Amino acid sequence: MRHDHLITSKQLSRADIETVLDRAAEIDADPSAVADRHANTLLGLLFFEPSTRTKMSFETAMKRLGGDVVDMGSIESSSVKKGETLADTVRVIEGYADALVLRHPRQGAATMASEFVDVPLLNAGDGAGHHPTQTMLDLYTIRENAGLDDLTIGIMGDLKYGRTVHSLAHALTNFDARQHFISPESLQLPREVVYDLHQSDDGPGIREHETLEEVLPSLDVLYVTRIQRERFPDESEYQKVAGEYQIDLETLEAAADDLTVMHPLPRVDEIAPEIDDTAHAAYFDQAHNGVPVRMALLDLLLADGGDLDE
Amino acid sequence: MSNDGGGETGGDHQLRVSKIRSGTVIDHVRGGQALNVLAILGIDGSEGEELSIGMNVPSDRLARKDIVKVEGRELSQDEVDVLSLIAPESTINIVRDYDVIEKHRVDRPELVEGVLSCPNSECITTGDEPVTSTFDVLEDGVRCAYCETIVRTGIASLIDT
């Protein structure tokens, strides 16, 4: 199966995912072996939304492969401010770069942009839609800590707008994973995502919950996302649910000793700092894994037009 | 075969929608959907088309139905198929010299392009980009090929007029 672009985790088979994760593990073990592999390669960074980890890890990944980046810069200083369309922007930058990374506030932006370019395009987040490269580093972290088969995972927080959650949930249907989604009713998974998960033949099913307590003891992994305060129309409504979705050491007393706690970051108050020094905490390793995983993705997509089954 | 325009109950209601010489009769349209049928086909009379519309006429099958007759134009299969989104029970009669020479039921297409607008205001297709709206057709609705929003009810209200 060939992929010229990486738009959504839905396009990836189990074999595709394992190819990327295995390549990332090779690179992680010996980064110097690929230090010059993509010398003279330029990666175009088009970030129409703020980003720290994703943008910097792509930049780091490209430079560690021997290449470099060209950066569109801030929206305020770009032609976007003059009213240029995304379609025109990507067609122009395609002329400068060998591959493009796009983050955009509108859903479907990466899908549309990919129709206008021939170089590989990686979706680094399209509104509340998808964030497939985050998913690959999430899967890498899960595989390192708990394995990807016979997995019971709880995904908790803002599931409605959380694009990392949508991409991860789709990808996990390739594996023998039981997925429990924990959120306030107002932040449940979009029905479109639920529709897709139910369409999947491979997954053992999903369940939705409003409280963590009922599923916590059975979990191998707890993936926490930030409840986005700004999404609530009423501050009092936020206050009703915010406390219920924070975890601390007392919360984890009911969890398995080997529970892995993950978070795509940034966190606010969902995970108490006292958890950071426990064996449960995997979120900083998770962030660090962004570099080898994105090195692997770039390496595979830049090699002969992008064959993930190389 | 006579061009009866779908007058299944006979009687004087046939006379309310005149026979056409050549063109297309879209029959068994759910009551109240006739104008949406024209909108989804992009027919607004501005090209000089001669149109006859019957709305909420008695029907054995639908109780009340609409009928649309388009003089001088035979609908293509693609045009016919897109009708399935809002008028799945409709039948299409192609008329030449007052005779029905072909009678079709609509089939659901796999996708429709440039017909519907995505209701998700955050979808890339709702901005100023040079992109044609595209919807995959599901068993019970349509889905934006860009933002993936699923619409199951009120599809007629999405018709891009």
Side-chain angles (χ1 to χ4, degrees), chain B:
Chain B
M1 226 176 336
S2 68
N3 167 17
D4 64 0
E8 61 190 84
T9 57
D12 66 359
H13 86 264
Q14 290 180 38
L15 301 178
R16 297 176 199 151
V17 184
S18 61
K19 291 182 178 181
I20 63 173
R21 180 188 179 106
S22 296
T24 304
V25 176
I26 306 166
D27 194 9
H28 300 107
V29 175
R30 199 172 296 161
Q33 291 291 329
L35 297 178
N36 286 327
V37 164
L38 290 171
I40 208 167
L41 293 172
I43 298 172
D44 61 5
S46 63
E47 303 295 320
E49 304 97 331
E50 192 176 315
L51 304 173
S52 304
I53 301 171
M55 296 184 76
N56 292 318
V57 299
S59 164
D60 290 341
R61 196 192 304 173
L62 300 175
R64 293 281 171 179
K65 68 175 183 178
D66 290 358
I67 305 170
V68 176
K69 299 186 179 187
V70 185
E71 180 74 56
R73 179 168 164 186
E74 295 182 9
L75 294 181
S76 70
Q77 190 61 46
D78 286 347
E79 289 176 308
V80 168
D81 288 346
V82 84
L83 288 175
S84 70
L85 299 179
I86 58 168
E89 303 94 346
S90 62
T91 52
I92 313 297
N93 301 322
I94 304 296
V95 179
R96 289 181 194 155
D97 288 332
Y98 296 105
D99 283 337
V100 176
I101 56 127
E102 290 177 34
K103 200 167 183 113
H104 303 292
R105 278 187 175 277
V106 299
D107 288 320
R108 289 177 80 74
E110 289 187 8
L111 59 85
V112 291
E113 292 181 277
V115 174
L116 307 174
S117 293
C118 185
N120 176 6
S121 61
E122 298 303 312
C123 177
I124 192 71
T125 63
T126 64
D128 297 325
E129 299 295 337
V131 60
T132 302
S133 74
T134 305
F135 285 79
D136 297 314
V137 178
L138 310 176
E139 278 186 18
D140 59 347
V142 295
R143 181 177 208 173
C144 176
Y146 291 90
C147 75
E148 304 183 350
T149 294
I150 294 174
V151 184
R152 292 193 168 88
T153 58
I155 292 172
S157 68
L158 305 181
I159 295 169
D160 198 2
T161 55

Side-chain angles (χ1 to χ4, degrees), chain A residues 41-49 51-63 67-75 77-78 80 86 89-90 92-94 96-104 119-124 133 294 298:
Chain A
T41 299
L42 279 177
L43 180 65
L45 301 179
L46 293 87
F47 281 72
F48 291 78
E49 273 187 339
S51 170
T52 304
R53 280 158 302 280
T54 303
K55 188 176 178 183
M56 289 188 69
S57 69
F58 264 115
E59 187 168 357
T60 306
M62 192 69 255
K63 289 180 174 177
D68 208 339
V69 299
V70 287
D71 188 340
M72 181 181 80
S74 68
I75 298 295
S77 63
S78 73
V80 177
L86 173 61
T89 302
V90 295
V92 170
I93 309 302
E94 176 189 31
Y96 307 155
D98 302 293
L100 300 176
V101 177
L102 174 67
R103 169 167 292 189
H104 197 278
V119 300
L121 185 143
L122 294 92
N123 181 9
T133 67
R294 291 184 170 115
L298 289 171

Side-chain angles (χ1 to χ4, degrees), chain A residues 73-146:
Chain A
S74 68
I75 298 295
E76 285 67 29
S77 63
S78 73
S79 293
V80 177
K81 203 68 180 173
K82 301 172 187 170
E84 185 177 57
T85 63
L86 173 61
D88 280 359
T89 302
V90 295
R91 280 183 284 194
V92 170
I93 309 302
E94 176 189 31
Y96 307 155
D98 302 293
L100 300 176
V101 177
L102 174 67
R103 169 167 292 189
H104 197 278
R106 284 185 177 265
Q107 284 173 252
T111 301
M112 187 212 74
S114 71
E115 295 171 356
F116 289 90
V117 297
D118 292 324
V119 300
L121 185 143
L122 294 92
N123 181 9
D126 59 333
H130 299 279
H131 196 353
T133 67
Q134 174 71 38
T135 288
M136 299 307 287
L137 71 91
D138 291 341
L139 294 174
Y140 186 81
T141 309
I142 293 170
R143 191 171 77 164
E144 279 191 323
N145 285 273

Side-chain angles (χ1 to χ4, degrees), chain A residues 2-5 37-44 58 61-63 65-68 97-101 118-122 294-308 310:
Chain A
R2 290 182 69 83
H3 301 290
D4 295 325
H5 310 291
R37 188 166 159 79
H38 292 283
N40 302 316
T41 299
L42 279 177
L43 180 65
F58 264 115
M62 192 69 255
K63 289 180 174 177
L65 288 168
D68 208 339
D98 302 293
L100 300 176
V101 177
D118 292 324
V119 300
L121 185 143
L122 294 92
R294 291 184 170 115
M295 288 172 75
L297 282 167
L298 289 171
D299 186 35
L300 292 164
L301 285 167
L302 287 166
D304 298 326
D307 186 349
L308 289 178
E310 180 188 45

